[in-house]
C-alpha cells in the first residue's frame, strides 16, 4: 500500500489516522511532540498493511527558513522489519524534504546510528542541530525536559536528492 499522509493542521480531518499514528509512535517509544500542536512544517505519513494496520511511519519537520529538515517518526512494526521498509520510509521523508526545499537533514537517534549511516548520515553536534532547528517541536521538547544533553545527533546534506532545476 502507498504511504498515506496524516493531516495535522485540520482538527477534524484524519482524527483516526492521528490516533493510529499516536498509538504506533508510543509503542515504538518515539516522541509524540507536535501531534497536539501541529505545524504546517510538520509532515507525517503512515504505512498500512492490507488489513489497515499501521506497520510503519515516517516524517520530518522543516526549520522556519525551510533550509533544514528534522527527520522524525521513522519506525517499522516488528512484524514488518528486515524487508527494507525502514529504508523505504526514511528515503521517502528525505526525498520529500528535499523536494520541499530543504538542503540538510538532521535527526536524533541513540539506538539506530548504524541504520542511519547506511543512508548517508554522519554523527553531528546536537547543539548545531538545535541551532538549525530551534522551533521544531522535538528540539523544544528536548530542551524543556533536559533530554537534549543526552541525545545523539546525525546529519546529511540533501543535495543529491534535490530535484534538478531547469
Amino acid at each position: 500500500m502507498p504511504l498515506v499522509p496524516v493531516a495535522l493542521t485540520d482538527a477534524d480531518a484524519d482524527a483516526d489516522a492521528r490516533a493510529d499514528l499516536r498509538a504506533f509512535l508510543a509503542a515504538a517509544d518515539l516522541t509524540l511532540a507536535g501531534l497536539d500542536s501541529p505545524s504546517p512544517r510538520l509532515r507525517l505519513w503512515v504505512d498500512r498493511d492490507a488489513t489497515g494496520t499501521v506497520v510503519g511511519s515516517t516524517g520530518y519537520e522543516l526549520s522556519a527558513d525551510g533550509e533544514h529538515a528534522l527527520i522524525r517518526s521513522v519506525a517499522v512494526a516488528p512484524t514488518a522489519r528486515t524487508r527494507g521498509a525502514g529504508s523505504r520510509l526514511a528515503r521517502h521523508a528525505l526525498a520529500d524534504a528535499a523536494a520541499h526545499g530543504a538542503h540538510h537533514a538532521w535527526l536524533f537517534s541513540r539506538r539506530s546510528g548504524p541504520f542511519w549511516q547506511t543512508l548517508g548520515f554522519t554523527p553531528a553536534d546536537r547543539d548545531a542541530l538545535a541551532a538549525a532547528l530551534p522551533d521544531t517541536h522535538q528540539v523544544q521538547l528536548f530542551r524543556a525536559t533536559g533530554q537534549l544533553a543526552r541525545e545523539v545527533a546525525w546529519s546529511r546534506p540533501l543535495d543529491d536528492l534535490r530535484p534538478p532545476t531547469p
Side-chain angles (χ1 to χ4, degrees):
M1 293 184 79
L3 293 177
V4 178
V6 177
L8 296 171
T9 55
D10 182 343
D12 297 326
D14 280 350
D16 290 340
R18 280 195 308 275
D20 291 348
L21 177 60
R22 175 180 290 284
F24 182 76
L25 293 176
D29 194 27
L30 294 178
T31 184
L32 305 177
L35 294 182
D36 293 327
S37 54
S39 161
R41 297 178 307 180
L42 176 60
R43 298 177 53 95
L44 297 168
W45 293 265
V46 293
D47 194 13
R48 295 180 184 272
D49 66 14
T51 69
T53 301
V54 175
V55 293
S57 64
T58 192
Y60 65 89
E61 188 171 0
L62 289 174
S63 59
D65 64 7
E67 293 287 316
H68 303 271
L70 181 62
I71 305 301
R72 54 171 290 177
S73 306
V74 178
V76 178
T79 57
R81 290 184 185 151
T82 71
R83 291 179 255 174
S87 295
R88 179 177 56 84
L89 291 165
R91 285 188 183 105
H92 178 84
L94 292 167
D96 197 80
H100 282 88
H103 291 272
H104 205 92
W106 304 79
L107 61 90
F108 292 111
S109 180
R110 286 179 275 169
R111 300 181 297 237
S112 303
F115 167 78
W116 291 107
Q117 286 176 312
T118 68
L119 296 170
F121 281 82
T122 59
D125 182 282
R126 70 178 151 261
D127 293 323
L129 182 162
L133 294 144
D135 297 328
T136 59
H137 290 97
Q138 195 171 13
V139 168
Q140 290 179 350
L141 172 68
F142 288 179
R143 277 193 171 140
T145 61
Q147 186 174 335
L148 184 62
R150 296 186 306 272
E151 288 300 323
V152 178
W154 300 86
S155 70
R156 93 182 286 281
L158 294 176
D159 295 334
D160 63 317
L161 299 175
R162 294 182 54 77
T165 55

